[in-house]
Amino acid sequence: MAPMFRADHVGSLLRPQDLKDAFREAHQGKITDAQLEEVKARCIRDAINLQEDAGLQSITDGEFRRGSWFFGFVQAVDGLTTRDSLFDFRDSTGGHATFQTAYVDGKLRRTQGITTEEFSFVRANTDGTPKVTMPTPSLVHFFRLDRAVDRNVYPDMDEFWSDLIAIYREEIAALAALGCRSVQLDEVPIAMMCDPNVRAQVSKAGIDPAALLDSYIRAINDVVRGRPAGMTVSLHLCKGNYKGHWMAEGGYEAISEKLFNEADVDTFFLEYESERAGGFEPLRHVPKTKNVVLGLISSKTPELEPLDQLRKRVDEAGRYMPLDQAGVSPQCGFASSVGGNPLSIDDERRKLTRVVELAYAVWG
């Protein structure tokens, strides 16, 4: 099965400086909410134009309304706040960066749309296919493991999972009613479990990594069960993306056979831009009913990858799966948080254009 588009991207884009300034001024009370919304709308329209000019058909709002790839979800869902993560980011120089993640301090309820406003705005401003992105349910659990939930609120963890999954199903139903055809779930914890050091940390916390993988796949399947015909669901595997940093490394062999065959999604977006991702051998486990978007172009660095080298990488992947089932993209978003990765908007534009050039070179 071919992917929805041969050339795609993960979703987040670098925020222009005037959008960053507007968020800061709104927080300081210097501009009104209405003025902030005007800046958001203008910047999102510009981001849509950037994607269309690059030749992309899969269009997002750049996640410009969010503080980070997951914080919009935290803000929209009743019962969520933030606490320090048990895991942190690192880079090639040995540097580290900490962050705050989701924490459950109340009963989980969906009392408003989470991504519906994002979808509606993009649909009204493009002739392309709007894509919505959301974190997977594992986000709410993994980064604090057994300390992710106030057990006075949820003494029964089955009730926690049931309430969380119900929120996703309500949101997907609302998106379907609006005409959404493309939903991407961003999955970091499962990707992190490719790393033996992360699996060891999970085991040290008294949790079986294999059982946790089963639990997270089951949650994904519960979320998307009952999605309407015509809605494509993709799963983006990410090992961390914050100002050029990452949280894990390692090939997909530890998770690939189970994930590719058991996760009830149409498409897997896989990071393959560096040696940290391992080889293409795990692609042999992709069933004929699913497809893979190869994240070969780095969103972490400004250097533009040569087209001939990228083409060779696609051919290497084709040794392990039919290229009829493949597409290409950057390995992750360009700005999983407001700060963004260390490259410019012009660099971003060139890389998105290169994705389209690569897809044309391979598939015509």
Side-chain angles (χ1 to χ4, degrees):
M1 183 177 75
M4 182 176 277
F5 302 109
R6 297 294 188 185
D8 211 325
H9 70 118
V10 170
S12 68
L13 299 171
L14 294 166
R15 276 73 160 176
Q17 190 60 49
D18 51 347
L19 180 61
K20 296 179 186 179
D21 292 344
F23 269 108
R24 184 178 63 254
E25 290 169 2
H27 181 72
Q28 295 170 345
K30 294 180 179 179
I31 63 173
T32 66
D33 289 344
Q35 289 172 313
L36 174 60
E37 184 57 37
E38 288 178 7
V39 178
K40 286 182 191 176
R42 172 170 50 79
C43 290
I44 292 170
R45 289 190 190 98
D46 290 345
I48 290 170
N49 290 338
L50 183 151
Q51 293 166 74
E52 292 175 339
D53 290 347
L56 293 166
Q57 297 171 276
S58 178
I59 308 296
T60 74
D61 71 345
E63 300 181 0
F64 282 4
R65 298 182 185 276
R66 312 178 190 181
S68 74
W69 67 279
F70 71 85
F71 193 55
F73 186 90
V74 171
Q75 289 180 306
V77 173
D78 285 8
L80 289 180
T81 184
T82 57
R83 293 284 190 279
D84 290 340
S85 169
L86 301 178
F87 301 86
D88 59 11
F89 288 90
R90 60 184 184 271
D91 65 14
S92 58
T93 67
H96 285 260
T98 60
F99 73 105
Q100 290 212 322
T101 186
Y103 176 74
V104 179
D105 67 350
K107 290 291 186 182
L108 298 175
R109 294 185 180 88
R110 178 185 179 274
T111 58
Q112 60 182 309
I114 301 166
T115 58
T116 49
E117 180 183 1
E118 296 174 354
F119 169 78
S120 295
F121 188 89
V122 174
R123 182 183 60 178
N125 287 278
T126 186
D127 292 328
T129 299
K131 178 166 74 170
V132 163
T133 65
M134 287 187 284
T136 53
S138 63
L139 161 82
V140 185
H141 177 261
F142 180 78
F143 293 106
R144 289 181 58 81
L145 296 172
D146 283 348
R147 289 183 268 173
V149 178
D150 184 335
R151 298 306 293 270
N152 291 317
V153 175
Y154 283 109
D156 180 357
M157 287 296 286
D158 287 342
E159 182 186 4
F160 153 72
W161 283 111
S162 177
D163 285 354
L164 180 60
I165 288 163
I167 288 167
Y168 279 89
R169 296 194 67 169
E170 291 170 13
E171 182 71 8
I172 288 174
L175 287 167
L178 291 171
C180 180
R181 295 177 50 235
S182 180
V183 173
Q184 176 184 297
L185 300 174
D186 293 321
E187 178 59 71
V188 177
I190 288 179
M192 288 179 63
M193 284 193 283
C194 294
D195 190 325
N197 293 322
V198 172
R199 295 198 299 274
Q201 188 173 347
V202 171
S203 296
K204 188 176 180 181
I207 300 172
D208 178 5
L212 197 60
L213 176 60
D214 286 341
S215 175
Y216 291 165
I217 293 174
R218 186 165 57 250
I220 291 168
N221 292 345
D222 287 343
V223 161
V224 302
R225 185 176 293 116
R227 67 188 183 272
M231 176 183 281
T232 294
V233 176
S234 54
L235 191 70
H236 168 228
L237 277 291
C238 173
K239 299 185 181 82
N241 184 49
Y242 175 71
K243 295 184 178 180
H245 292 59
W246 60 88
M247 287 189 285
E249 53 191 289
Y252 296 102
E253 199 67 51
I255 64 169
S256 58
E257 186 171 12
K258 176 175 284 290
L259 180 67
F260 294 163
N261 287 280
E262 295 184 13
D264 185 17
V265 299
D266 303 294
T267 301
F268 297 96
F269 280 72
L270 302 180
E271 296 185 321
Y272 268 119
E273 91 293 3
S274 74
E275 293 181 356
R276 293 191 305 275
F280 292 118
E281 291 83 356
L283 297 177
R284 71 190 185 279
H285 295 303
V286 177
K288 295 184 184 299
T289 55
K290 300 176 184 178
N291 53 72
V292 167
V293 176
L294 301 165
L296 300 173
I297 293 174
S298 177
S299 67
K300 287 181 164 65
T301 63
E303 291 78 19
L304 184 63
E305 293 83 350
L307 186 59
D308 60 339
Q309 293 182 18
L310 291 169
R311 178 62 197 266
K312 289 178 183 177
R313 292 280 285 159
V314 174
D315 290 340
E316 289 172 20
R319 294 170 54 196
Y320 300 99
M321 67 172 290
L323 290 182
D324 284 349
Q325 293 174 241
V328 290
S329 75
Q331 106 287 347
C332 198
F334 289 89
S336 296
S337 64
V338 170
N341 286 339
L343 67 168
S344 70
I345 292 177
D346 281 342
D347 295 329
E348 172 185 78
R349 181 181 293 106
R350 283 190 287 269
K351 285 178 177 261
L352 291 175
T353 301
R354 180 54 45 92
V355 170
V356 176
E357 293 169 345
L358 175 59
Y360 183 80
V362 176
W363 293 282

